[in-house]
């Protein structure tokens, strides 16, 4: 199937651009962090931590790539609240262990 091979090669050529491979690499790094966290902590902690990090990393990646944000203040406040919520979960779990 030469047409499949040509299409696959064209898709791979897109990875020469940083705007394509950087989000992909960050996504894969997030997936590795998710599985590492799942294996080394309680599920009740791992899920909020990973979901919170996914949101924050998506926002940071969008900013780095130059995407416009409609309401930056709302984005910053939302990200801060997510980080605070995850911190509360972690502190709560830490105090339960003691």
């Amino acid at each position: 199937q030469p047409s499949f091979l040509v299409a696959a090669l064209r898709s791979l050529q897109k990875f020469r651009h940083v705007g394509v491979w950087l989000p992909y690499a960050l996504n894969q790094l997030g997936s590795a962090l998710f599985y590492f966290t799942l294996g080394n902590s309680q599920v009740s902690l791992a899920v909020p931590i990973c979901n919170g990090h996914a949101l924050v990393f998506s926002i940071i990646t969008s900013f780095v790539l130059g995407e416009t944000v409609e309401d930056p203040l709302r984005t910053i406040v939302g990200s801060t609240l997510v980080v605070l919520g995850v911190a509360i979960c972690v502190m709560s779990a830490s105090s339960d262990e003691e």
Side-chain angles (χ1 to χ4, degrees):
Q1 299 257 0
S3 62
F4 174 75
L5 183 60
V6 170
L9 289 175
R10 285 186 185 149
S11 294
L12 288 175
Q13 286 178 348
K14 293 178 183 177
F15 277 94
R16 292 185 301 169
H17 304 288
V18 71
V20 174
W21 66 261
L22 180 62
Y24 178 77
L26 288 174
N27 184 6
Q28 295 306 308
L29 181 63
S31 295
L33 177 64
F34 175 73
Y35 288 113
F36 176 78
T37 306
L38 275 178
N40 294 320
S41 65
Q42 302 170 4
V43 173
S44 61
L45 279 178
V47 172
I49 289 171
C50 290
N51 287 337
H53 280 100
L55 173 68
V56 172
F57 280 119
S58 294
I59 292 168
I60 291 170
T61 303
S62 295
F63 177 75
V64 168
L65 292 176
E67 294 181 5
T68 58
V69 178
E70 290 183 24
D71 192 356
L73 179 61
R74 179 180 270 181
T75 302
I76 292 169
V77 169
S79 297
T80 303
L81 290 173
V82 167
V83 170
L84 287 174
V86 169
I88 290 170
C89 286
V90 170
M91 288 187 314
S92 174
S94 295
S95 66
D96 289 346
E97 289 177 0
E98 292 174 5

